[in-house]
């Protein structure tokens, strides 16, 4: 009882080592990935990365918009440079309908100011012009000279001849954002400094300048491409959260990242977001899909582990069964050989005067050699089956006759062993195409088992009868029985119920696996019904219909 227990425990470490060798690194990888993902989730690292990217996009956008503003202003300035006279402000505005107001300051109290004539019918615009004119007049009287020097400095250092800044003007109770362009006109001298410029109104910035500038910053935008979220940019004033202008894809809502204009458009803010999604949802989606992938990988890994574990334990169990088989077979061979030798030697000495005794010894020698033959036949059959070389020769057979003759030679022996032997064979059973020798061997294996595994209740029943479209061959005993959990295993090769509490009978573990193979080769099946301590019933079912064709198929 101690031996199998010790063996089972000595196999366990091998399986454990194998499992650990794969499981430890894999689990470490999974734990590390989960930890890493959790850190990402906690630190909002992905959001930070995207925000950093967005800041860069906005910085580039600002630079491009600034460049475009300088280009347009410089273009207009070039045409203004011919203007030396305040009378020519009006023709300048006529050729530049985008410009709201233009002016020329030539000394304290001398500000020539002109608004776009075509818009003068608009009372608000008219009012705005007056307000701007008076503001600029007061402002330039104080600071114009400073701006002239500033413009000289800019020209010397940056090579630019315009200075662009913001200008706010009220319209009703709303402050309007305008862009003021200043430059030094031709004819300005240190003794008689002059400053001129023009103003782009809110309408132009809102409807023309920024939409064009933003579409240049984000080219190739189209609303139909929704598979990949596109970035959208808007511009707003510091005083208002709703966009002054926005790129094509802007779909409302607050921007993800904002950046204030630094030089050309002070007081304006650039904002960016993704069309149809948010950074938070992108980052959530990333973390969620990473967890899902990790979960799926873990499941696969777990499945792989279970498969490996089952495979390894099965291989180990088979290896153990094989080594048991060798020792069982050696024992099985040695016992009849020893008996044959013992009785043969006794007979050889010629000391047995009692002829009855002599007869008994001859019978023992015959029986033991028959046991040897059937064991060796089993082993040979098994090895043929394993190597795929087993061939069956199917012939039209009266199965009833076959069963009767097979049992005939054993009946006496069985009854002598104290068994109550009951043989019931139905009449008029159809003939089947079977391999006679193989079926006889199957029956003998079942009968031998019934005899071997019977304890005090010695009963053996063999029944052959028709059942639906098959012929059933039943071998019944009242022996030790088989536990339900063992029943599916006993048909496996080498398998023996080796619990010494159940039985101590020796065997090879090949008998039932051969029976199953033979029966299946005949297109039939073998099943067992048994309860521990109450005997067993093995039933071989051989199909009647098409039995010939099936048999042919298997033998091929
Ligand atoms: P063997 O008898 O050589 O061990 P088998 O393949 O014939 O091998 O049987 C496998 C196992 O099934 C046996 O070890 C035994 O435990 C069990 N067994 C087979 N037939 C019977 C039976 N009639 N009653 C009880 N147990 C049986």
């Amino acid at each position: 009882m101690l031996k199998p227990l010790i063996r089972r425990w000595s196999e366990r470490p091998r399986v454990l080592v194998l499992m650990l060798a794969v499981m430890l690194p894999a689990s470490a990888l999974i734990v590390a990935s989960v930890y890493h993902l959790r850190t990402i989730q906690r630190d909002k690292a992905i959001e930070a990365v995207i925000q950093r990217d967005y800041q860069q996009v906005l910085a580039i956008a600002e630079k491009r918009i600034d460049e475009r503003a300088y280009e347009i202003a410089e273009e207009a300035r070039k045409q203004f440079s011919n203007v030396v006279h305040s009378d020519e402000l009006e023709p300048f505005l006529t050729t530049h309908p985008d410009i709201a107001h233009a002016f020329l300051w030539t000394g304290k109290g001398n500000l020539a100011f002109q608004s776009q004539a075509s818009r003068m019918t608009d009372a608000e615009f008219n009012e705005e012009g007056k307000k701007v004119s008076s503001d600029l007049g007061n402002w330039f009287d104080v600071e114009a000279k400073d701006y002239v020097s500033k413009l000289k400095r800019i020209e010397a250092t940056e090579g630019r001849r315009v200075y662009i800044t913001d200008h706010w003007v009220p319209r009703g109770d709303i402050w309007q954002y305008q862009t003021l362009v200043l430059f030094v006109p031709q004819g300005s001298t240190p003794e008689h400094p002059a400053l001129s410029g023009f103003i782009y109104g809110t309408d132009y910035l809102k409807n023309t300048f920024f939409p064009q500038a933003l579409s240049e910053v984000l080219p190739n935008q189209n609303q139909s491409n929704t598979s990949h979220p596109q970035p959208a940019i808007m511009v707003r004033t510091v005083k208002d959260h709703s966009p002054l202008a926005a790129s094509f894809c802007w779909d409302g809502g607050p921007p993800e990242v904002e950046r204030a204009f630094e030089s050309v458009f002070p007081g304006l803010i650039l904002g960016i977001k993704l069309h149809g999604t948010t950074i938070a949802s992108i980052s959530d989606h990333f973390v969620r899909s990473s967890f899902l992938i990790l979960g799926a990988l873990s499941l696969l890994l777990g499945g792989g582990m279970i498969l490996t574990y089952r495979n390894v334990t099965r291989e180990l169990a088979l290896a153990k069964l094989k080594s048991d088989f060798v020792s069982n077979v050696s024992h099985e061979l040695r016992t009849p050989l020893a008996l044959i030798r013992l009785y043969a030697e006794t007979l050889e000495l010629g000391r047995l005067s009692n002829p009855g005794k002599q007869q008994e010894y001859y019978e023992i020698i015959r029986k033991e050699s028959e046991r040897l033959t059937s064991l060796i036949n089993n082993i040979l059959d098994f090895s043929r089956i394993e190597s795929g070389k087993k061939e069956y020769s199917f012939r039209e057979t009266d199965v009833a006759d076959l069963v009767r003759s097979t049992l005939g030679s054993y009946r006496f022996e069985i009854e002598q062993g104290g068994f109550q032997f009951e043989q019931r064979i139905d009449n008029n059973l159809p003939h089947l195409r079977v391999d006679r020798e193989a079926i006889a061997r199957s029956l003998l294996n079942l009968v031998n088992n019934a005899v071997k595994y019977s304890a005090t209740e010695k009963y053996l029943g063999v029944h052959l009868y028709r059942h639906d479209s098959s012929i059933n061959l039943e071998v019944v005993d009242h022996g030790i029985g088989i536990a339900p959990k063992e029943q599916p295993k006993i048909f496996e090769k080498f398998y023996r119920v080796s619990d010494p509490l159940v039985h101590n009978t020796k065997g090879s573990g090949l008998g039932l696996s051969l029976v199953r193979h033979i029966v299946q080769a005949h297109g039939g099946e073998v099943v067992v019904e048994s309860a521990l301590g109450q005997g067993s019933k093995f039933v071989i079912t051989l199909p009647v219909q098409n039995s010939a064709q099936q048999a042919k198929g298997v033998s091929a």
Side-chain angles (χ1 to χ4, degrees):
M1 175 174 173
L2 216 58
K3 227 169 142 195
L5 240 163
I6 292 169
R7 205 176 304 145
R8 220 173 298 146
W9 275 107
S10 67
E11 277 158 9
R12 202 143 279 183
R14 275 202 280 170
V15 184
L16 277 179
V17 167
L18 196 101
M19 300 304 287
L20 284 182
V22 188
M23 228 153 79
L24 270 184
S27 325
L29 194 75
I30 290 174
V31 171
S33 307
V34 169
Y35 178 76
H36 180 61
L37 278 175
R38 278 181 178 274
T39 327
I40 288 183
Q41 203 176 22
R42 200 176 46 240
D43 296 352
K44 300 267 172 199
I46 302 167
E47 288 185 43
V49 168
I50 299 178
Q51 284 191 352
R52 237 185 356 257
D53 281 358
Y54 276 5
Q55 281 291 353
Q56 277 171 8
V57 172
L58 290 185
I60 294 168
E62 183 193 354
K63 201 161 164 266
R64 294 227 183 115
I65 294 170
D66 285 359
E67 276 164 10
R68 188 173 160 77
Y70 278 126
E71 247 171 58
I72 291 172
E74 186 63 37
E75 199 60 41
R77 182 200 65 80
K78 277 183 194 149
Q79 285 161 39
F80 203 97
S81 62
N82 300 325
V83 179
V84 285
H85 224 265
S86 57
D87 291 352
E88 297 192 36
L89 287 176
E90 199 170 339
F92 169 77
L93 284 176
T94 316
T95 52
H96 293 85
D98 294 339
I99 294 174
H101 315 283
F103 50 85
L104 174 65
W105 180 88
T106 47
K108 200 165 172 147
N110 281 333
L111 177 75
F113 186 89
Q114 185 67 48
S115 295
Q116 191 61 257
S118 59
R119 295 178 61 188
M120 290 304 272
T121 45
D122 177 351
E124 279 189 334
F125 181 74
N126 215 336
E127 200 54 39
E128 175 192 299
K130 283 181 196 153
K131 173 92 177 78
V132 175
S133 159
S134 100
D135 283 357
L136 291 183
N138 296 335
W139 182 32
F140 289 155
D141 284 351
V142 181
E143 292 187 37
K145 285 183 185 157
D146 292 347
Y147 275 98
V148 171
S149 349
K150 188 173 181 167
L151 275 157
K152 293 278 176 210
R153 244 190 351 264
I154 291 174
E155 187 179 352
T157 54
E158 294 169 35
R160 246 188 293 113
R161 301 184 63 179
V162 291
Y163 172 71
I164 307 176
T165 189
D166 59 330
H167 184 256
W168 294 85
V169 66
R171 196 177 262 201
D173 39 351
I174 297 169
W175 282 92
Q176 299 262 8
Y177 185 91
Q178 300 187 323
T179 290
L180 175 66
V181 181
L182 293 178
F183 57 90
V184 181
Q186 274 182 6
S188 168
T189 59
E191 297 79 41
H192 301 287
L195 187 65
S196 37
F198 42 84
I199 288 176
Y200 289 106
T202 311
D203 295 344
Y204 168 70
L205 296 175
K206 185 176 171 158
N207 301 326
T208 312
F209 177 76
F210 278 113
Q212 276 175 8
L214 290 178
S215 73
E216 274 170 32
V217 169
L218 296 175
N220 309 327
Q221 287 220 327
N222 68 70
Q223 219 135 31
S224 58
N225 181 8
T226 47
S227 59
H228 190 72
Q230 305 184 36
I233 297 184
M234 67 90 150
V235 182
R236 70 174 179 90
T237 69
V238 283
K239 296 187 202 301
D240 190 359
H241 281 278
S242 55
L244 179 74
S247 69
F248 185 64
C249 272
W250 188 265
D251 56 354
E256 297 276 359
V257 176
E258 287 197 329
R259 178 188 166 90
F261 275 92
E262 280 168 1
S263 62
V264 177
F265 297 104
L268 288 190
I269 289 171
L270 272 174
I272 189 167
K273 66 180 287 204
L274 276 180
H275 174 79
T277 183
T278 61
I279 299 182
S281 72
I282 292 176
S283 123
D284 279 357
H285 180 256
F286 172 80
V287 173
R288 217 177 310 123
S289 48
S290 302
F291 269 121
L292 273 179
I293 292 170
L294 204 66
L297 282 179
S298 312
L299 274 181
L300 282 178
L301 204 75
M305 288 286 131
I306 292 169
L307 276 182
T308 317
Y309 180 80
R310 285 179 56 175
N311 235 329
V312 170
T313 40
R314 200 175 298 156
E315 284 301 315
L316 284 174
L318 196 66
K320 175 186 166 302
L321 286 178
K322 277 184 185 165
S323 82
D324 287 356
F325 167 75
V326 173
S327 80
N328 286 337
V329 166
S330 321
H331 184 275
E332 283 277 271
L333 289 173
R334 211 181 299 131
T335 318
L337 278 176
L339 284 175
I340 291 170
R341 201 167 135 195
L342 176 74
Y343 287 104
E345 277 173 6
T346 314
L347 287 169
E348 201 178 28
L349 287 174
R351 291 211 195 118
L352 282 177
S353 47
N354 183 348
K357 262 283 180 241
Q358 274 184 11
Q359 192 56 33
E360 190 186 325
Y361 283 16
Y362 283 131
E363 251 171 44
I364 290 173
I365 290 173
R366 182 184 53 80
K367 262 175 19 191
E368 289 307 316
S369 49
E370 271 170 13
R371 247 178 84 185
L372 264 181
T373 313
S374 91
L375 177 65
I376 288 167
N377 278 341
N378 269 358
I379 295 172
L380 285 177
D381 256 8
F382 172 75
S383 99
R384 278 191 211 110
I385 287 169
E386 282 291 283
S387 59
K389 288 184 189 146
K390 173 75 186 162
E391 278 177 12
Y392 293 95
S393 108
F394 296 98
R395 267 182 292 143
E396 199 74 22
T397 305
D398 180 351
V399 187
D401 193 41
L402 174 67
V403 171
R404 245 182 245 115
S405 65
T406 308
L407 292 174
S409 43
Y410 280 86
R411 167 181 277 276
F412 178 68
E413 189 181 323
I414 292 164
E415 281 172 352
Q416 265 209 331
F419 274 83
Q420 179 199 345
F421 182 40
E422 192 185 321
Q423 174 181 310
R424 216 169 50 227
I425 296 173
D426 284 3
N427 295 321
N428 300 327
L429 291 174
H431 287 200
L432 297 181
R433 274 182 72 84
V434 296
D435 181 315
R436 298 174 64 88
E437 202 187 323
I439 293 294
R441 189 162 306 149
S442 301
L443 175 59
L444 283 184
N445 265 308
L446 293 183
V447 168
N448 271 337
N449 279 351
V451 172
K452 266 200 307 191
Y453 301 110
S454 285
T456 43
E457 277 267 348
K458 297 193 170 191
Y459 168 85
L460 172 68
V462 176
H463 310 140
L464 185 74
Y465 57 93
R466 170 111 195 211
H467 182 258
D468 295 337
S469 55
S470 54
I471 290 183
N472 287 7
L473 175 59
E474 262 178 29
V475 178
V476 184
D477 66 60
H478 294 168
I480 60 172
I482 305 157
K485 73 174 169 58
E486 303 282 2
Q487 289 175 16
K489 300 185 203 160
I490 55 173
F491 294 98
E492 287 167 19
K493 61 188 175 188
F494 306 132
Y495 191 83
R496 307 200 68 235
V497 181
S498 53
D499 187 344
L501 288 181
V502 180
H503 69 76
N504 238 331
T505 316
K506 295 290 168 194
S508 62
L510 292 183
L512 288 181
S513 82
L514 282 178
V515 172
R516 185 171 65 172
H517 190 275
I518 291 168
V519 173
Q520 284 177 348
H522 284 77
E525 59 176 22
V526 53
V527 290
V528 61
E529 285 169 30
S530 182
L532 212 52
Q534 289 176 20
S536 313
K537 175 159 94 175
F538 286 84
V539 186
I540 290 177
T541 308
L542 296 171
V544 173
Q545 276 173 358
N546 301 328
S547 75
Q549 284 158 17
Q550 280 170 11
K552 250 187 231 158
V554 177
S555 72

